Amino acid sequence: AVLTTSFFDLQYNVHTSDTELFEDHFNHSYACGSLDGNDAHACWPLYNVDYYPRWASLDDGVHTVEAVVTHPNSAAEIEGSWSPVRTFFVYTASDNSNALGAPGGSGSGENDDVVVLSIDVGETTFTLPVQRSADYTHVAEKFCAQTGVANHECVEAITREIFTEFQKKEQQAFANYQASKQAAAETAAAEAAAAAAAPYTFPTPQVSA
């Protein structure tokens, strides 16, 4: 996943074979989150939560988060309850590069002005949204540096992919326009043919006294 803000709220759910029984026993337990494998875990009530914990001031780049449940009696973290590690990418475009809808760009922010790339880095797939008005080379350089693939080949490949995706979008838009134009012409021709084939009906004369 890609976050375009420097913060996120951790939402969690418990999956168990007997939900009601589990809630009875673990009603006073906590869910503890670990950001980037840090040993310091932020803990929050497992149930009856009005709002979720928030991590703020995250640096741009790759991050991981995982959660674990505490024991209701000892408050110790239960090793077998760890969630899978979730990997996400923070890209706030704080340098006004106009990627990801950063302020100051000339793009309108509509779907036609944005492409979204899926990029595999090792075993992780990242999504990278890019505005048409962005500096594509700068976006590629920043992404490659933050994912640890800071080489010319990475930058060149992503820059080329951005250009290619926008070209595909323009070609599809032109094809859609041509199809719409053709459909309108066929509809007009059909209506004209139907009108020509219809018999002309003379108006009925009316007499007033």
Side-chain angles (χ1 to χ4, degrees):
V2 175
L3 299 183
T4 58
T5 62
S6 60
F7 65 88
F8 74 95
D9 297 337
L10 178 64
Q11 299 187 22
Y12 44 83
N13 294 293
V14 175
H15 299 277
T16 179
S17 58
D18 193 329
T19 305
E20 293 183 0
L21 182 62
F22 181 88
E23 184 172 354
D24 287 341
H25 287 283
F26 285 79
N27 191 44
H28 299 292
S29 293
Y30 290 83
C32 299
S34 172
L35 180 66
D36 296 333
N38 199 308
D39 291 335
H41 299 167
C43 297
W44 218 251
L46 188 60
Y47 291 102
N48 303 317
V49 179
D50 294 326
Y51 52 92
Y52 291 97
R54 169 173 292 186
W55 271 270
S57 302
L58 272 67
D59 294 330
D60 282 9
V62 180
H63 296 275
T64 61
V65 65
E66 52 188 329
V68 64
V69 174
T70 64
H71 194 279
N73 297 328
S74 66
E77 296 176 352
I78 303 174
E79 285 301 320
S81 68
W82 277 103
S83 69
V85 177
R86 296 291 300 273
T87 301
F88 60 97
F89 190 81
V90 173
Y91 200 116
T92 60
S94 56
D95 56 0
N96 293 324
S97 66
N98 298 324
L100 307 176
S106 59
S108 64
E110 299 293 336
N111 289 338
D112 286 346
D113 289 326
V114 176
V115 294
V116 180
L117 277 61
S118 293
I119 305 170
D120 294 328
V121 179
E123 297 181 355
T124 304
T125 299
F126 297 99
T127 54
L128 178 63
V130 185
Q131 275 194 349
R132 186 185 297 275
S133 58
D135 181 335
Y136 304 157
T137 301
H138 178 72
V139 171
E141 288 174 344
K142 188 173 182 179
F143 178 86
C144 293
Q146 291 173 339
T147 53
V149 194
N151 57 51
H152 177 72
E153 290 77 10
C154 174
V155 174
E156 186 177 86
I158 292 179
T159 303
R160 183 171 58 250
E161 185 66 17
I162 295 172
F163 276 108
T164 299
E165 289 302 312
F166 274 117
Q167 186 177 43
K168 289 179 182 178
K169 188 179 286 287
E170 291 169 358
Q171 292 172 344
Q172 185 60 53
F174 180 74
N176 292 342
Y177 167 75
Q178 290 290 83
S180 176
K181 186 177 179 180
Q182 179 66 24
E186 291 175 354
T187 300
E191 291 175 349
Y200 181 77
T201 303
F202 290 95
T204 303
Q206 296 180 348
V207 178
S208 59

